[in-house]
Amino acid sequence: MEDYLKLFVEETSFYNRLVLGTFLPESWWGPLPHMLQGWLRNYIGGVLLYFISGFLWCFYIYHLKRNVYIPKDAIPSKEAMLLQISVAMKAMPWYCALPSLSEYMIENGWTKCFARISDVGWPTYIINAAIYLVIVEFGIYWMHKLLHDIKPLYKYLHATHHIYNKQNTLSPFAGLAFHPLDGILQAVPHVVALFLVPMHFTTHIALIFVEALWTANIHDCIHGKVWPVMGAGYHTIHHTTYRHNYGHYTIWMDWMFGTLRDPVKEDAKKM
């Protein structure tokens, strides 16, 4: 068992060398405890992913495709985007604590993670990953809904994110503009799922970082019309009604629990 757990440590150590070794002198990070190295690596990776994806996406939709996807008067102001960046950057150090903690639990054998797909085979890997994503979808839906339904949670945590409640205040940079505890709570299902279903470690880490790209995507106000994806069209409605479309990747949970509102039907009502 100890030899197998070393595979996880070797993998995270590789990621540490890859990221930290690229951006920092080894004398700065080498003496740090392994878990702290992981947190620093996640922080650097998270900041880079947030800014690179955010700037590229904003440049594309607001400049290269100006008036194609979003009318000129619906483009958020620079002030709004700078505020979103400020909120996200204050929360980022805390966000990075969760994947660092999950790595620690995985490396110590507390979860059902496995290191290599060959350990279970591709069919089992695919089935387990699908179950993992269903658990995550279910967990994020209910966590998100409770953050709205329980008034103190909304007032002191989630309201920080919902100051962006109109199309001209939403941007890809709003994707991580949460109170730190709010952002962590909504990501907790990713960690809880590790105790319920065997999950490939690398895939778990990748999905944590995919969250940053996905949340940027669903705050750009562009309805992709890809069923059953819970895209920006659905999430923009969530930011205007506060009572619909709590789901994350798909519309299924909202459909099952009666909170779904379709952007196409909403547009039809306005015509």
Side-chain angles (χ1 to χ4, degrees), residues 247-268:
H248 196 52
Y249 291 121
T250 73
I251 66 172
W252 293 117
M253 294 300 160
D254 284 283
W255 176 76
M256 287 173 59
F257 297 111
T259 53
L260 182 65
R261 183 172 283 189
D262 192 316
V264 174
K265 293 179 181 178
E266 290 298 304
D267 289 342

Side-chain angles (χ1 to χ4, degrees), residues 14 16 25 34 60 65 68 100 106 108 114 125 137 143 145 158 164 174 179 195-196 199 216 228 233 235 247 271:
F14 169 74
N16 291 344
H34 180 72
Y60 180 74
K65 295 293 182 178
V68 174
S100 303
I106 291 164
N108 284 275
F114 55 90
Y125 164 75
E137 188 77 17
M143 184 63 74
K145 192 171 188 305
H158 201 51
Y164 318 113
H179 184 286
F195 294 88
L196 302 176
M199 182 61 178
H235 198 71
M271 295 177 66

Side-chain angles (χ1 to χ4, degrees), residues 54-237:
F55 277 119
L56 288 176
W57 195 233
C58 287
F59 179 72
Y60 180 74
I61 62 177
Y62 300 148
H63 295 280
L64 288 184
K65 295 293 182 178
R66 193 177 184 87
N67 290 325
V68 174
Y69 296 116
I70 296 175
K72 183 179 179 180
D73 59 356
I75 295 175
S77 66
K78 291 180 181 178
E79 291 75 14
M81 289 189 280
L82 286 172
L83 177 60
Q84 292 159 12
I85 291 170
S86 174
V87 173
M89 286 301 98
K90 289 176 183 176
M92 188 67 76
W94 301 99
Y95 292 162
C96 296
L98 188 66
S100 303
L101 179 61
S102 76
E103 289 174 19
Y104 177 82
M105 293 188 291
I106 291 164
E107 290 168 353
N108 284 275
W110 299 356
T111 70
K112 295 189 175 186
C113 262
F114 55 90
R116 300 164 299 208
I117 295 176
S118 59
D119 293 338
V120 298
W122 279 98
T124 300
Y125 164 75
I126 293 170
I127 292 169
N128 286 358
I131 296 170
Y132 172 92
L133 287 171
V134 170
I135 294 170
V136 168
E137 188 77 17
F138 179 86
I140 292 178
Y141 173 89
W142 279 106
M143 184 63 74
H144 191 182
K145 192 171 188 305
L146 289 173
L147 283 162
H148 278 268
D149 292 348
I150 299 175
K151 290 183 179 179
L153 291 182
Y154 182 82
K155 180 179 180 180
Y156 295 109
L157 298 182
H158 201 51
T160 299
H161 183 66
H162 270 276
I163 62 171
Y164 318 113
N165 56 8
K166 295 181 178 66
Q167 186 172 2
N168 64 357
T169 62
L170 287 165
S171 82
F173 289 115
L176 292 180
F178 290 89
H179 184 286
L181 185 55
D182 182 359
I184 290 171
L185 286 172
Q186 293 199 60
V188 159
H190 276 281
V191 178
V192 172
L194 298 177
F195 294 88
L196 302 176
V197 59
M199 182 61 178
H200 181 229
F201 175 54
T202 309
T203 304
H204 161 70
I205 295 297
L207 286 171
I208 290 285
F209 280 89
V210 164
E211 289 289 335
L213 298 175
W214 183 249
T215 55
N217 171 66
I218 63 175
H219 288 88
D220 66 11
C221 298
I222 301 172
H223 183 35
K225 301 179 182 179
V226 181
W227 185 90
V229 175
M230 178 66 75
Y234 289 95
H235 198 71
T236 302
I237 289 174

